[in-house]
Amino acid sequence: MVHSLWKLLAIVFLMVAAPAWANGISLRDDVCTAPTASDATLRAVRRADYVCGDAAPRAAKGWLWLKLDTARLSSLPPGWRLLVDQTRFARIALLVDTDAGARRTMLSASELAGYGAPGGVLRFEIPVAGHEIRGLYLGFDGIDDLSLMRKLRAMTPAQQMADATAWLVLMGMFAGILLSALIYNVVIHAGQRSAFQRWYLLWVMVAFTYGMTWTNMAALLDPALVGPLAVRIDYVLIGLMVAAGGRFFLTVIEAGMIPRALAAAIRWLTMLGAAAGVAAAADGVLPVMLFDRALTFMVATSFVVLGAGWVTAMMRGSRVVWPYLIGWAPVVGVFVARLLRNLGVMGQSDAIDRATFGALAFEALVFSLIIASRFRRLRRELYHATRRSEIELAETGALRRAAETDFLTGLGNRASYQRTAQGLVERGDAFSLFLIDIDHLKLVNDRLGHAGGDALIVALGDALRSLDAGDGFHVARIGGDEFAVLMPGDAMAEARLLDRIDAMQERPWQFAGGRRTLSASIGVASFPGDAADIDALYQNADMALYGAKETGRGRHRRYDPLLRILRDLQTDFSRDAENALARGEFVLHFQPIVTLPDGDCQGYEALLRWNHPEHGLMLPDRFANLLVADRLGLRIQDHVLDMALGWMQRRRDVAMVCVNATAAQLGDPGTARHILDRLNTRDIAPDRLCIEVTEAAMLDRAADAILATLTTLHQAGVVIAIDDFGTGLASIVHLRRMPVDRIKIDRSFIAGLDEEGSNATAIVRAIVALGDGMGKTIVAEGIETEAQARLLADMGCPLGQGFLYGVATADGEAVRHPPAPPHPV
């Protein structure tokens, strides 16, 4: 940059110290003009009515001829040059009248290649000496306006060579400075550039092009870039240069230094200035002088408004505005000088034109310094911002990893699962969702404590992590005992992973010196085949998981649209159940419980039925989900208890009625008091009521509350029975903890008594012996044949129920041996 400043000093020296003798003889001020109808002949040009001075015509529809003063040319040697300022015209002609005859040169605007000379002039070589010339005439066909042609000069070959050399040296340095600035600003921050740098680069390119075109330096590359074509290009470039400089100011100045209204005015003026330059170049369409003056006015107005911006920025403490003002000051000074020259206040001088390009070069250097300063500050800000960003990024990454990591297993959590799954959906990648739920976690917590349950969760998490199936495979723990596995790929990839997960079943895990095995239920659904979004996919996989649990746990089930149909049907049932309660559609059927082997009735089990208006009489397996619903299930169960107690109140002859209770019902702390109050209200002895509870209720999350409820009821005299014993996970420990009076053997074991090779007989015999040893009454469910009844009696089982003794009926009367008996629930 310092080297460029020395170049600038050299430019200033050349601008000031160019030899005065190189200016030649100015012929512009003494010219006389005359319009003619055509180029005509030498005689017609000689005899035209020439007018001199201020009254001389400046334009014509056809040809305008200029009569030059030949008296001043006597000292010029042969081969001297006539230099004509570039303006716009259709044709140009030069007539040289000597004693030896006349010479005429006529060129169209497109035939000027080779006639351009440095300094923005057209050069015509005159072969005869100045004292031999009797008349010299310069004609223009379709000239813009003579006032726009400001140079008309005669020079000796040596003078013209010196003038051209000065211009070449000047513009060489000008080009060097601007190209250096251009390259420097192209190289630095070559990636994402700031707006002020982009405007500066545009300004440099426009200023460089303007300088090369105006001075005819561009003609060294393309000789046709002279004359009217160069003038039109210059008009456009002047408008663009002022516009880019104004926009550069708006983007480089510090934020808040320029009022919004003033900034808007500068933006509008820059656009209008660019448009005025284009309009001034359209001489074939628009009035020439009008838009030449309009461009001058827009440039002047832009400087005034920019000046207001400079002053405002200085008053507000801007540090950038000072170097910016220093860069613009020479340009503004030169512009004022050119304006005064064009208005005739100042005389013609090449010093003004040379100073123009010296000022532009100086401005380019200052702007580069401004940008360098801004970049140094931006680099400092960027460094600190980058450091802050790196710290924030590290902290954000750590927080995100913490936020998306399950603290127990180290796997992803629900947030991680949601983000990964949503990403797969948004990309449209096919994948499968595996929902995996640990079987019997409640039992493990009861037996081994929560540390044992956590060990089981970790064991399953490690097992799933070890299945790593390649790119995109993702495992997350999304709930207490629920895991989600995302597996990109098609049905084959899903099947392969499913085989590996199935093989994981019964995998051993250890805790507190004990060795146990894994068991999990799996539901699978795929995108996009089974669902179009992540929420629907999860619901479908969850339905499949629920189905896997219903069919026995420790297995998998794939989503089937039928599951959705059944779920929708259950939803319909849930909606209908509210009205069903009001309409009395829920009813009880009573099945007798008898002594073995004689069949004397000892009581009844109350079995719920729904007399649906569309689906007919439905067993509980059709609407079982309603019975475990938090609100509706409790209302239905309360209705069942009310119906059972009402029937017992009417049937004083019935010794006992057994009513099934759900975990949700028994888990309510007020249930025991509620039941006992209703027994008292209806004057029913507590020992006439038997509450049946399944083994699963013992393992429910509310097991402690359930135990408290059953204990209160048992102490009041209510009989407590464990239903479907042998199918769940109840153990002797539970039998010891719970106040159990009766154990009901599940019907599946009773059915196996007739099967050869079945171990059902041994199991039933063991249960009977267990009950007898613990002082519990045993009841066998599902007795259908006399053979089964005899075997049970021989084993010592005292009570039984089943189709052999009667199906459940509304009045409880036994109906023995029905044809094709359905299995009641």
Side-chain angles (χ1 to χ4, degrees):
M1 195 63 68
V2 174
H3 184 60
S4 297
L5 287 173
W6 282 109
K7 286 184 179 179
L8 185 58
L9 292 176
I11 292 174
V12 174
F13 173 78
L14 286 172
M15 179 182 67
V16 175
W21 61 269
N23 290 332
I25 302 169
S26 176
L27 304 175
R28 176 66 180 82
D29 295 336
D30 299 326
V31 70
C32 300
T33 65
T36 62
S38 66
D39 54 329
T41 62
L42 176 61
R43 177 178 297 182
V45 173
R46 284 175 175 172
R47 294 180 177 179
D49 294 330
Y50 289 96
V51 179
C52 303
D54 295 337
R58 298 185 304 177
K61 293 184 178 180
W63 282 85
L64 181 70
W65 286 93
L66 283 66
K67 182 180 180 181
L68 308 182
D69 184 5
T70 58
R72 303 176 61 188
L73 307 178
S74 59
S75 62
L76 296 178
W80 62 277
R81 273 79 170 184
L82 179 66
L83 303 180
V84 181
D85 193 12
Q86 296 186 133
T87 185
R88 290 175 295 190
F89 49 78
R91 288 180 297 173
I92 186 172
L94 178 65
L95 291 177
V96 182
D97 186 11
T98 66
D99 293 337
R103 298 172 59 90
R104 184 174 72 171
T105 302
M106 183 177 294
L107 301 168
S108 69
S110 61
E111 297 173 334
L112 296 174
Y115 283 85
V121 294
L122 297 175
R123 179 186 59 198
F124 295 92
E125 184 175 340
I126 311 300
V128 297
H131 65 272
E132 299 179 20
I133 298 175
R134 299 292 175 261
L136 185 60
Y137 304 92
L138 183 64
F140 296 95
D141 180 13
I143 190 172
D144 283 350
D145 191 284
L146 192 59
S147 64
L148 300 179
M149 189 192 74
R150 302 176 182 99
K151 295 180 185 178
L152 187 56
R153 184 178 300 149
M155 285 187 175
T156 66
Q159 289 175 326
Q160 199 271 322
M161 180 62 69
D163 183 71
T165 301
W167 275 108
L168 287 172
V169 173
L170 172 67
M171 296 314 296
M173 293 183 177
F174 171 84
I177 292 173
L178 266 71
L179 288 176
S180 297
L182 181 65
I183 294 171
Y184 171 72
N185 284 276
V186 167
V187 171
I188 62 172
H189 284 250
Q192 184 66 32
R193 291 189 176 87
S194 300
F196 64 81
Q197 190 185 12
R198 292 196 296 270
W199 283 112
Y200 174 71
L201 289 174
L202 176 62
W203 184 89
V204 170
M205 289 187 288
V206 172
F208 174 79
T209 307
Y210 173 72
M212 295 297 102
T213 305
W214 191 94
T215 60
N216 286 341
M217 294 297 112
L220 298 176
L221 298 177
D222 185 354
L225 289 175
V226 296
L229 176 60
V231 173
R232 293 185 180 97
I233 294 174
D234 289 341
Y235 273 119
V236 176
L237 293 175
I238 289 172
L240 289 177
M241 189 161 49
V242 174
R247 286 303 185 97
F248 172 72
F249 172 71
L250 290 179
T251 53
V252 78
I253 205 74
E254 300 94 333
M257 293 293 170
I258 303 296
R260 294 178 62 181
L262 186 58
I266 294 174
R267 281 192 290 268
W268 277 105
L269 282 172
T270 57
M271 290 188 289
L272 291 174
V278 174
D283 56 290
V285 180
L286 301 173
V288 174
M289 291 304 297
L290 174 63
F291 283 94
D292 179 83
R293 296 293 183 262
L295 177 60
T296 302
F297 173 78
M298 293 306 305
V299 173
T301 305
S302 297
F303 283 145
V304 171
V305 176
L306 278 172
W310 301 337
V311 172
T312 303
M314 285 188 289
M315 294 176 62
R316 294 187 176 186
S318 171
R319 291 180 296 176
V320 173
V321 70
W322 288 103
Y324 185 89
L325 182 58
I326 292 172
W328 267 105
V331 176
V332 174
V334 170
F335 171 78
V336 172
R338 289 173 70 111
L339 181 62
L340 294 175
R341 182 190 65 181
N342 295 346
L343 295 175
V345 177
M346 294 179 61
Q348 172 63 39
S349 172
D350 277 357
I352 295 177
D353 293 326
R354 292 191 180 112
T356 299
F357 300 103
L360 291 176
F362 180 80
E363 184 175 14
L365 281 177
V366 173
F367 281 6
S368 289
L369 291 172
I370 295 173
I371 288 180
S373 174
R374 281 299 301 269
F375 271 126
R376 281 194 296 271
R377 189 166 74 234
L378 287 176
R379 286 193 185 99
R380 289 195 299 271
E381 294 174 356
L382 180 61
Y383 172 77
H384 294 300
T386 302
R387 290 291 301 158
R388 288 195 301 270
S389 177
E390 289 174 350
I391 294 171
E392 291 173 358
L393 186 62
E395 292 176 348
T396 300
L399 289 173
R400 193 184 74 176
R401 285 192 296 273
E404 294 188 354
T405 301
D406 176 53
F407 71 95
L408 182 60
T409 63
L411 298 170
N413 58 13
R414 181 175 287 275
S416 172
Y417 151 75
Q418 288 282 2
R419 180 179 57 81
T420 305
Q422 192 62 43
L424 291 170
V425 170
E426 290 174 356
R427 291 193 299 272
D429 296 343
F431 69 96
S432 296
L433 169 62
F434 297 74
L435 288 185
I436 303 171
D437 194 86
I438 299 175
D439 296 332
H440 322 313
L441 179 62
K442 179 62 171 64
L443 177 61
V444 172
N445 282 332
D446 287 345
R447 291 181 175 179
L448 304 178
H450 288 287
D454 289 347
L456 173 56
I457 292 172
V458 171
L460 180 58
D462 290 342
L464 292 174
R465 184 188 286 110
S466 68
L467 299 177
D468 188 359
D471 293 341
F473 177 79
H474 183 78
V475 182
R477 180 185 175 216
I478 61 175
D481 57 352
E482 187 176 15
F483 292 79
V485 176
L486 297 170
M487 179 63 209
D490 54 14
M492 294 183 63
E494 175 188 301
R496 287 194 296 268
L497 182 59
L498 196 54
D499 289 341
R500 297 179 65 187
I501 293 177
D502 283 342
M504 186 185 69
Q505 301 280 13
E506 305 303 321
R507 178 174 176 170
W509 65 281
Q510 294 183 342
F511 177 75
R515 185 180 179 87
R516 297 161 183 84
T517 57
L518 291 175
S519 176
S521 300
I522 303 112
V524 187
S526 63
F527 172 87
D530 294 329
D533 60 78
I534 189 61
D535 291 334
L537 185 69
Y538 179 87
Q539 292 174 7
N540 292 344
D542 189 58
M543 278 191 281
L545 173 62
Y546 184 78
K549 289 183 176 182
E550 283 186 326
T551 54
R553 301 177 184 266
R555 61 195 68 194
H556 73 266
R557 184 166 183 178
R558 209 192 179 291
Y559 170 73
D560 189 309
L562 180 60
L563 292 173
R564 173 69 64 182
I565 295 173
L566 294 176
R567 175 68 64 88
D568 292 342
L569 183 60
Q570 293 298 325
T571 302
D572 292 340
F573 285 160
S574 298
R575 186 173 56 253
D576 294 345
E578 293 283 352
N579 294 327
L581 281 170
R583 292 193 297 262
E585 294 174 5
F586 289 105
V587 297
L588 290 181
H589 284 196
F590 299 90
Q591 185 177 44
I593 300 173
V594 303
T595 58
L596 298 178
D598 51 33
D600 293 337
C601 182
Q602 298 297 311
Y604 294 87
E605 180 178 2
L607 301 173
L608 180 63
R609 301 291 185 262
W610 184 354
N611 192 12
H612 197 280
E614 295 182 15
H615 300 283
L617 193 66
M618 297 191 302
L619 302 180
D621 61 345
R622 295 283 301 278
F623 55 90
N625 65 310
L626 301 183
L627 303 179
V628 296
D630 291 342
R631 185 180 60 85
L632 183 59
L634 291 175
R635 290 180 58 196
I636 294 174
Q637 288 297 125
D638 190 64
H639 183 57
V640 168
L641 179 63
D642 190 61
M643 289 190 294
L645 294 179
W647 191 76
M648 292 170 65
Q649 188 178 24
R650 295 191 299 272
R651 294 288 304 271
R652 297 290 179 177
D653 58 314
V654 175
M656 180 182 295
V657 172
C658 296
V659 179
N660 293 282
T662 63
Q665 184 182 18
L666 297 175
D668 185 347
T671 296
R673 190 70 266 160
H674 179 64
I675 293 175
L676 295 176
D677 287 346
R678 295 173 79 172
L679 286 171
N680 183 58
T681 300
R682 292 181 180 270
D683 193 23
I684 298 173
D687 59 0
R688 290 183 62 202
L689 177 64
C690 174
I691 297 297
E692 293 191 4
V693 58
T694 62
E695 290 179 316
M698 300 180 186
L699 309 177
D700 191 88
R701 291 180 174 86
D704 293 339
I706 292 172
L707 178 60
T709 297
L710 294 178
T711 301
T712 300
L713 291 174
H714 181 266
Q715 291 173 349
V718 177
V719 178
I720 306 299
I722 293 183
D723 197 14
D724 301 331
F725 188 81
T727 60
L729 300 170
S731 65
I732 297 176
V733 173
H734 291 94
L735 291 177
R736 291 180 59 190
R737 288 181 58 203
M738 295 184 66
V740 175
D741 300 295
R742 292 187 173 192
I743 297 174
K744 300 187 73 172
I745 305 174
D746 186 71
R747 66 181 65 253
S748 61
F749 296 113
I750 305 305
L753 295 176
D754 293 339
E755 299 175 3
E756 292 187 9
S758 171
N759 58 2
T761 301
I763 293 174
V764 172
R765 192 184 302 278
I767 294 174
V768 172
L770 175 64
D772 185 60
M774 297 183 70
K776 314 295 183 183
T777 301
I778 303 298
V779 181
E781 296 183 295
I783 302 174
E784 298 182 1
T785 67
E786 294 287 354
Q788 292 171 350
R790 286 194 299 272
L791 282 171
L792 289 166
D794 292 342
M795 293 178 189
C797 180
L799 299 175
Q801 65 184 93
F803 293 146
L804 179 63
Y805 305 107
V807 298
T809 61
D811 57 6
E813 296 300 326
V815 179
R816 298 170 66 89
H817 303 293
H823 287 196
V825 177

